[in-house]
Amino acid sequence: MKKSLLILALCLVSLLATAQHFIADAAYRAKVDAAFQAKMKLIGEKFYRLDGLHATPQEQEALHFLYAYMPVADATDYPTAYHLGNVRSALRTQHEFSWGKRVPELLFRHFVLPMRVNNEPLDSSRAIFMNELKPRVKGLSMRDAILEVNHWCHEKVTYEPSDGRTSSPLQSIMTARGRCGEESTFTVAALRAVGIPARQVYTPRWAHTDDNHAWVEAWADGKWYFLGACEPEPVLNLGWFNAPASRAMLMHTRAFGDYNGPEEVMLRTNNFTEINLIDNYGSTGKIAFRVVTPQGKAVADAKVDFKIYNYAEYYTAASKYTNAQGMTFLSAGKGDMLVWASKNGRFGYVKATFGKDKQLTIKLAYDAQHVPQAQDLDIVPPKEQALLPDVPEALRAANAVRLAYEDSLRNAYVATFPTAETLKNFPIPDAIPYIIKARGNWRTIKAFVEKYAQQSQRALDLLNTLTDKDLRDMPMVILDDNMQAKSNQLSPRVEYEMILKPFKQFFETKAFTPEEVVRFQHDPAQLVAWIRQHIKLNPDTRAMRIPQTPISVWESRLTDSRSRDIFFVDVARSLNIEARMDYVSWKVQYKKDHQWVDVDFDAEEQQVAKTGTLKLDFKPVPFLDDPKYYSYFTISKIINGQTYLMNFDEGQVDMGGGISWHNVFKNGTTLDEGTYLLVSGQRMADGSVLAHNQFFRIEAGDTTQVKLIVRQQDEGVKVFGSFNSENLFIHEGKEVSILSQTGRGYYVLGILGVGQEPTNHALHDIAKMKAKLDQWGRPFVLLFTDEAAAKKFEQQKNEFGLLPKNTIFGIDKTGAIREEIATQMKLAQRNQLPIFIIADTFNRVVFLSQGYTIGLGEQLTKVIGKL
């Protein structure tokens, strides 16, 4: 009996000991502790302070896990108390939600505990979201709770395209808008706040059209499900992107830390484990790659970039490194990809067809002086194989009613934002556009302008340096800092970095001696030398490069190359030295003697770049008279064997302008000396691309002329279906035929999914091509699915720009028109919108587009040019 009691007591002691651990597995716990100690040695223990915080052993273990793998910026820019508060909120979910104890430790550790989702600023959303969502999910199953959280997210945020900087979850709520990366970051944060494992899934680039997308996967009772962020459907595993996802080449997610789950690992770093989720969405193939020298010897640790043709470049969607035998592999959708390998300045590439090729060899046969010959490539995306869950019509209808109500809640909040009318008496009229653009941050911008009314021109000049997104989330403390600093270099932002702490007045008055300031101002190369001497680079070159604030770089004296570049520009501007990051080449520069000087932290002397001129020769054709950069061609520089895109400013692309052959490249543009790759391509209606690769050299002082070849499809327009132009729709309250509205000849017919991202993109694309479509002169018949959709569009129509002047709106009230198109065109997914056709009144269909397609306006124009 005593022996039995002793065994029982020992078991209880063991269980209690285990319960005190955040990580049950002793071996993994030791691994985390070693990584934590390495991080402390790297950043210094002053950035991990538990004094007075009373952390329990379990909380400390969780903190060790976070610090072991978090980016340096998260450790140096946020205090330990912040991270501990989020640990405590996360651990609360295990007790306060019915599913808390059912979530496996592995998933809780990697997909609930971490605050960071992508590259957003960290905020205080976790506790706020938890308190607001707790009563809404009480008593629900995990699956129903996921749906409910997404409905809550839809109440707060809806889709709007914007720049590449990611807002925090609270910033997204404040502005009530977000691009897909922000919506998914926000939704993941909301799900994690109630203890549901969640991760942001993204296709870095679509294969069949130009763009990318991000959504959410959430775990419930043993299975991962997907959902469109802030786009609630009646059931899980359903979104407008089901069909395009089945055509994707790659799907990724990043698991925080050293994750050992069942998925294929693409890349393991000291911050995250990148895993491949493509098998969840479409049919895939696996290829093994061997990288060799020109003599056939295996190359270990070669970088292998997997590139998808998108926006007229070969975009690096994933990177891996070869093993000791020169081998690596990838699973991807059954389509074509360019696979580029490099090491020590040498490179080589192959076109890989997943689902067909099994093993390919890449020979590092080229360098900056010896490049491949020009080459045509036909790039084919995977075929569509969408799987859609069955949804009863009653459930769809109920969901639509709920969505409309949620729209009204969000719109009521947006209605509190000021307008030109409500601000008509504002005493500083030039500030009104900035206040309106600030949306939910309008009070801050208005108060700033009022605060500095006596210096209104300087205040307006400062606001003019900000993007629309900056205006929406810029805090007063940053505006004050830049306004009150003596420097005339007003911009607080260098690129897409977070701005968390004021810095200009600090560097102006406290960081350096007066003698140093004078020396730096006289010769900014001295500031470069100071940074080289005093700021250490993180030796982990594969670390996640979340930009540190300039203050934390100063305090830690440790950073990465990206944050060092930002730090230089911010410090220089603080000392009234004109400095910038050149967005075309991403070089950091300062101005001296009226010339921009390139910053090279590895060189003792800073020099003005040696440049030459590039002229592109192009012969216009009727439907392509001025190819646009990012649509038909791009230029990348080859640096150390890798490609770096030249990011020419998109300018007024959204208004139909932007960088093109005629306005930049026809008469010549300046490029640095070096080797470049010109990629051009023509996207076909089926998503395939007729691509052309051409390498060239720019020599200092010389003009290089290169032929811009945009391959064309030789065949004319084909008739591949029929559609009855006598079909009826509702127009201005009356039932009319299509023929009666269009007259004899060709017309465009579109069926819209109002409020859905694919339709939003389609309308934006058509608006961009308004001038050419107006020149064509034929009608556009755009149909809504019902009256509610028509009313919703009326509220949103100003967001899309001006549509062609011959646009006719109507309602396909019975769905008969959509049904006929689906039947005649043999569409697999009848409910996938938008649908666009070009047809004539002899009932011939010569063009069809369904679902998510970027560049629809250009595709329509291309076909119209051949009619």
Side-chain angles (χ1 to χ4, degrees):
M1 181 69 177
K2 289 182 179 180
K3 186 176 180 181
S4 298
L5 289 173
L6 179 60
I7 292 172
L8 179 60
L10 289 172
C11 289
L12 287 171
V13 169
S14 176
L15 285 170
L16 287 171
T18 301
Q20 293 301 309
H21 284 297
F22 173 69
I23 301 172
D25 181 79
Y28 189 81
R29 194 162 63 244
K31 187 177 186 179
V32 168
D33 188 62
F36 171 76
Q37 296 301 332
K39 181 64 69 66
M40 291 299 100
K41 185 177 180 180
L42 179 67
I43 66 173
E45 294 186 357
K46 69 178 182 178
F47 291 105
Y48 180 76
R49 305 298 294 268
L50 284 175
D51 303 350
L53 297 180
H54 309 293
T56 67
Q58 185 187 35
E59 291 168 350
Q60 289 187 51
E61 254 183 43
L63 276 174
H64 282 199
F65 170 74
L66 290 177
Y67 272 84
Y69 299 110
M70 70 174 56
V72 168
D74 291 355
T76 59
D77 273 312
Y78 302 88
T80 308
Y82 167 81
H83 294 297
L84 178 59
N86 288 313
V87 165
R88 286 171 171 163
S89 290
L91 293 174
R92 276 178 56 199
T93 66
Q94 295 181 321
H95 307 286
E96 297 196 14
F97 296 94
S98 60
W99 50 80
K101 293 297 183 182
R102 301 203 305 271
V103 175
E105 179 190 308
L106 176 74
L107 299 185
F108 183 88
R109 186 169 66 226
H110 296 278
F111 300 112
V112 175
L113 178 71
M115 279 293 291
R116 178 162 299 289
V117 178
N118 196 330
N119 58 356
E120 76 281 8
L122 303 183
D123 62 16
S124 56
S125 60
R126 171 158 275 171
I128 296 170
F129 289 3
M130 182 181 181
N131 291 335
E132 187 162 341
L133 285 166
K134 184 178 177 181
R136 290 185 63 149
V137 300
K138 185 178 181 181
L140 297 180
S141 67
M142 285 191 82
R143 291 176 61 176
D144 287 342
I146 293 168
L147 293 169
E148 183 63 30
V149 168
N150 205 20
H151 276 288
W152 177 84
C153 291
H154 179 245
E155 290 176 14
K156 305 295 185 183
V157 177
T158 193
Y159 177 78
E160 181 182 74
S162 64
D163 64 42
R165 180 169 67 83
T166 303
S167 300
S168 75
L170 288 178
Q171 289 168 343
S172 294
I173 286 181
M174 183 167 64
T175 197
R177 295 286 189 272
R179 57 179 171 78
C180 61
E182 291 164 326
E183 288 181 306
S184 51
T185 296
F186 166 53
T187 304
V188 168
L191 288 163
R192 289 181 181 179
V194 295
I196 294 175
R199 56 199 188 190
Q200 181 189 56
V201 180
Y202 57 100
T203 180
R205 288 291 190 271
W206 294 116
H208 72 288
T209 191
D210 293 330
D211 207 358
N212 60 0
H213 191 52
W215 57 92
V216 174
E217 283 189 351
W219 184 91
D221 300 322
K223 186 177 179 181
W224 286 98
Y225 298 88
F226 68 82
L227 57 149
C230 305
E231 299 169 338
E233 295 285 356
V235 297
L236 297 173
N237 287 349
L238 179 63
W240 63 259
F241 53 87
N242 282 63
S246 73
R247 303 192 70 186
M249 294 294 296
L250 286 173
M251 305 292 182
H252 300 184
T253 193
R254 287 179 172 177
F256 184 94
D258 191 354
Y259 170 71
N260 292 301
E263 301 92 346
E264 176 186 311
V265 173
M266 301 183 65
L267 183 65
R268 200 179 292 275
T269 76
N270 287 335
N271 300 128
F272 62 85
T273 306
E274 190 165 62
I275 55 179
N276 191 354
L277 303 176
I278 186 64
D279 283 323
N280 295 353
Y281 296 91
S283 180
T284 65
K286 183 176 180 179
I287 302 177
F289 297 91
R290 185 168 184 257
V291 180
V292 301
T293 67
Q295 295 75 33
K297 183 180 177 181
V299 179
D301 205 37
K303 188 180 183 188
V304 182
D305 294 322
F306 299 91
K307 296 174 174 285
I308 296 173
Y309 181 96
N310 195 281
Y311 283 123
E313 70 155 325
Y314 296 115
Y315 177 84
T316 299
S319 298
K320 300 185 81 168
Y321 293 84
T322 56
N323 61 17
Q325 291 74 44
M327 300 294 297
T328 189
F329 72 92
L330 186 73
S331 298
K334 292 181 177 179
D336 294 339
M337 202 182 291
L338 196 79
V339 184
W340 182 293
S342 61
K343 187 175 182 181
N344 297 333
R346 299 194 65 84
F347 68 92
Y349 69 86
V350 296
K351 187 183 91 166
T353 301
F354 289 83
K356 176 184 175 184
D357 297 324
K358 301 299 180 185
Q359 181 167 329
L360 293 171
T361 298
I362 306 175
K363 186 177 292 187
L364 302 186
Y366 308 108
D367 58 28
Q369 301 299 324
H370 306 88
V371 297
Q373 295 293 316
Q375 182 182 22
D376 288 341
L377 287 179
D378 292 348
I379 308 294
V380 179
K383 295 179 180 179
E384 183 178 313
Q385 296 178 326
L387 296 175
L388 293 172
D390 291 328
V391 183
E393 195 56 42
L395 203 57
R396 286 186 185 276
N399 193 65
V401 170
R402 187 169 183 186
L403 293 179
Y405 173 68
E406 290 159 4
D407 285 337
S408 71
L409 295 177
R410 184 180 353 92
N411 291 336
Y413 165 64
V414 172
T416 66
F417 299 167
T419 64
E421 177 63 25
T422 61
L423 291 171
K424 63 183 179 182
N425 296 321
F426 189 68
I428 308 174
D430 288 345
I432 291 174
Y434 299 110
I435 299 171
I436 293 172
K437 289 178 181 179
R439 294 181 66 82
N441 196 41
W442 68 271
R443 291 179 179 85
T444 298
I445 303 303
K446 181 173 180 285
F448 168 73
V449 174
E450 292 170 336
K451 183 176 183 178
Y452 296 101
Q454 300 303 312
Q455 301 170 268
S456 61
Q457 189 55 55
R458 182 176 172 87
L460 291 172
D461 288 345
L462 172 55
L463 294 179
N464 194 48
T465 71
L466 305 179
T467 66
D468 289 356
K469 187 177 286 185
D470 289 336
L471 292 166
R472 295 174 183 184
D473 56 29
M474 190 65 67
M476 181 67 82
V477 66
I478 302 297
L479 294 171
D480 281 342
D481 179 53
N482 286 270
M483 188 70 187
Q484 294 168 13
K486 295 177 183 178
S487 174
N488 291 321
Q489 307 303 311
L490 292 173
S491 177
R493 186 177 299 289
V494 178
E495 41 120 324
Y496 290 145
E497 77 275 19
M498 302 172 286
I499 304 181
L500 303 170
K501 303 173 185 176
F503 60 87
K504 268 195 177 160
Q505 293 179 85
F506 172 81
F507 290 116
E508 176 188 279
T509 62
K510 298 178 181 179
F512 306 104
T513 66
E515 293 77 17
E516 285 177 315
V517 170
V518 171
R519 184 156 51 90
F520 296 158
Q521 290 172 334
H522 175 72
D523 182 10
Q526 297 296 315
L527 176 59
V528 178
W530 187 95
I531 293 174
R532 182 171 59 244
Q533 180 181 350
H534 293 90
I535 305 298
K536 181 176 68 172
L537 280 185
N538 185 352
D540 181 5
T541 57
R542 299 183 191 178
M544 192 174 184
R545 299 200 305 168
I546 300 295
Q548 288 169 270
T549 62
I551 293 297
S552 79
V553 172
W554 173 268
E555 291 174 343
S556 67
R557 303 298 170 100
L558 170 77
T559 193
D560 56 40
S561 58
R562 179 186 180 190
S563 295
R564 182 180 62 179
D565 288 348
I566 295 168
F567 178 78
F568 169 81
V569 175
D570 280 335
V571 173
R573 288 175 176 173
S574 300
L575 304 181
N576 207 25
I577 299 167
E578 195 170 354
R580 71 179 186 184
M581 180 173 286
D582 173 40
Y583 287 121
V584 174
S585 62
W586 294 104
K587 295 187 302 183
V588 174
Q589 300 173 318
Y590 62 84
K591 186 170 277 190
K592 186 178 182 183
D593 299 330
H594 308 292
Q595 285 186 302
W596 286 108
V597 180
D598 291 349
V599 172
D600 183 350
F601 290 103
D602 296 324
E604 292 295 330
E605 295 184 8
Q606 308 303 304
Q607 298 180 345
V608 176
K610 296 178 180 180
T611 62
T613 300
L614 170 68
K615 286 187 177 181
L616 294 181
D617 298 326
F618 176 75
K619 184 177 180 180
V621 293
F623 56 90
L624 185 59
D625 55 355
D626 187 18
K628 287 186 172 58
Y629 199 81
Y630 300 116
S631 294
Y632 289 95
F633 71 101
T634 57
I635 297 168
S636 296
K637 190 174 186 183
I638 310 299
I639 302 175
N640 197 30
Q642 298 177 39
T643 60
Y644 292 85
L645 180 69
M646 299 290 99
N647 291 282
F648 288 94
D649 184 10
E650 293 185 64
Q652 299 299 311
V653 168
D654 288 339
M655 300 303 293
I659 299 300
S660 70
W661 163 72
H662 186 271
N663 63 25
V664 173
F665 299 95
K666 180 180 179 180
N667 297 319
T669 191
T670 300
L671 289 177
D672 287 356
E673 186 177 53
T675 300
Y676 294 83
L677 167 62
L678 169 63
V679 176
S680 60
Q682 179 88 268
R683 176 84 71 178
M684 300 292 102
D686 65 357
S688 62
V689 177
L690 304 178
H692 181 76
N693 303 341
Q694 189 167 355
F695 292 83
F696 63 90
R697 285 280 304 173
I698 295 291
E699 302 292 350
D702 290 346
T703 295
T704 300
Q705 289 193 291
V706 178
K707 193 173 284 188
L708 175 57
I709 298 171
V710 181
R711 295 170 59 201
Q712 306 296 331
Q713 194 172 39
D714 296 331
E715 298 177 355
V717 173
K718 292 182 179 179
V719 176
F720 58 91
S722 65
F723 174 77
N724 185 4
S725 60
E726 296 285 359
N727 271 297
L728 303 176
F729 68 98
I730 304 298
H731 177 59
E732 296 180 349
K734 297 180 181 179
E735 195 171 56
V736 297
S737 70
I738 293 170
L739 175 60
S740 71
Q741 302 302 303
T742 64
R744 288 291 178 185
Y746 283 102
Y747 60 91
V748 176
L749 172 69
I751 302 176
L752 308 181
V754 176
Q756 298 174 4
E757 190 171 335
T759 292
N760 293 348
H761 276 293
L763 295 176
H764 277 295
D765 287 343
I766 290 171
K768 288 178 188 178
M769 304 304 293
K770 172 177 165 57
K772 290 188 176 180
L773 295 172
D774 283 347
Q775 186 178 359
W776 181 49
R778 295 299 300 157
F780 273 67
V781 180
L782 301 183
L783 302 181
F784 307 109
T785 54
D786 53 39
E787 293 179 4
K791 291 179 181 177
K792 185 173 182 178
F793 177 82
E794 187 65 26
Q795 297 170 346
Q796 300 176 347
K797 65 181 181 181
N798 292 334
E799 298 179 10
F800 305 115
L802 295 175
L803 295 171
K805 62 183 180 182
N806 287 341
T807 299
I808 301 163
F809 293 105
I811 300 173
D812 181 22
K813 191 169 185 178
T814 65
I817 291 178
R818 174 167 44 166
E819 183 64 24
E820 174 160 341
I821 294 175
T823 300
Q824 295 295 330
M825 300 295 108
K826 298 180 173 60
L827 300 182
Q829 311 298 337
R830 294 173 179 248
N831 293 320
Q832 184 183 347
L833 299 177
I835 299 172
F836 282 88
I837 64 171
I838 299 176
D840 67 7
T841 47
F842 296 101
N843 299 337
R844 300 175 298 186
V845 176
V846 297
F847 174 85
L848 168 71
S849 172
Q850 182 182 23
Y852 190 70
T853 301
I854 298 298
L856 177 67
E858 290 186 344
Q859 289 190 18
L860 292 171
T861 305
K862 194 187 310 177
V863 174
I864 287 165
K866 296 181 179 182
L867 295 177

